[in-house]
Amino acid sequence: EVRIVDSGGALIQPGGSLRLSCTASGLNFSSTNVNWLRQAPRKGPEWVSGIKSSDGTAYYLPSVKGRFTISRDDAKNTVYLEMNNLKAEDTALYYCATYAGPGKPYPDDYGDYDYWGQGTQVTVSS
């Protein structure tokens, strides 16, 4: 019954902007921490950003801080990732993932995320 849908990926030129969306159904979204992760070709998954359910505190991978902004709209069961000044190294398949545990919005292990979206491709190229 739980469904996580991430979308918004596209082919975009370096320096451009894109907004990814993650919409959930079948779970208590307002009580769920939400994260964005990405996986580039020939690399393992990399956590990018997360937002807590309790107070909306945002966390970022240092390399994207200042360029990416995560936000949530609980009324729409949606979390967004605004990506600005995109670089070639941002190219990856981006996933939305939820985690209901305490503390930071992300777990200690990738296998501990509760639900995943199907992934949306972001390609930054000139």
Side-chain angles (χ1 to χ4, degrees):
E1 183 68 18
V2 175
R3 184 174 175 82
I4 309 294
V5 180
D6 36 35
S7 61
L11 171 63
I12 192 166
Q13 295 182 331
S17 298
L18 212 54
R19 188 179 76 165
L20 306 184
S21 298
C22 173
T23 300
S25 61
L27 54 77
N28 191 353
F29 185 79
S30 64
S31 299
T32 300
N33 306 311
V34 182
N35 300 269
W36 286 99
L37 300 94
R38 66 188 182 188
Q39 187 166 7
R42 303 182 185 279
K43 294 184 178 180
E46 178 182 45
W47 175 87
V48 176
S49 184
I51 187 166
K52 294 186 66 176
S53 63
S54 57
D55 58 7
T57 300
Y59 297 77
Y60 299 95
L61 179 70
S63 64
V64 309
K65 191 172 185 179
R67 297 190 297 120
F68 292 9
T69 301
I70 190 170
S71 62
R72 64 189 301 153
D73 185 344
D74 289 341
K76 297 181 178 180
N77 286 352
T78 299
V79 165
Y80 304 97
L81 184 67
E82 183 180 350
M83 310 163 68
N84 299 313
N85 191 25
L86 284 162
K87 306 176 183 298
E89 52 263 41
D90 294 318
T91 294
L93 183 63
Y94 283 71
Y95 294 92
C96 174
T98 69
Y99 177 59
K104 294 181 178 179
Y106 48 85
D108 294 330
D109 190 276
Y110 293 114
D112 291 333
Y113 284 104
D114 297 313
Y115 301 101
W116 293 78
Q118 81 287 350
T120 184
Q121 180 67 39
V122 173
T123 301
V124 185
S125 177
S126 59

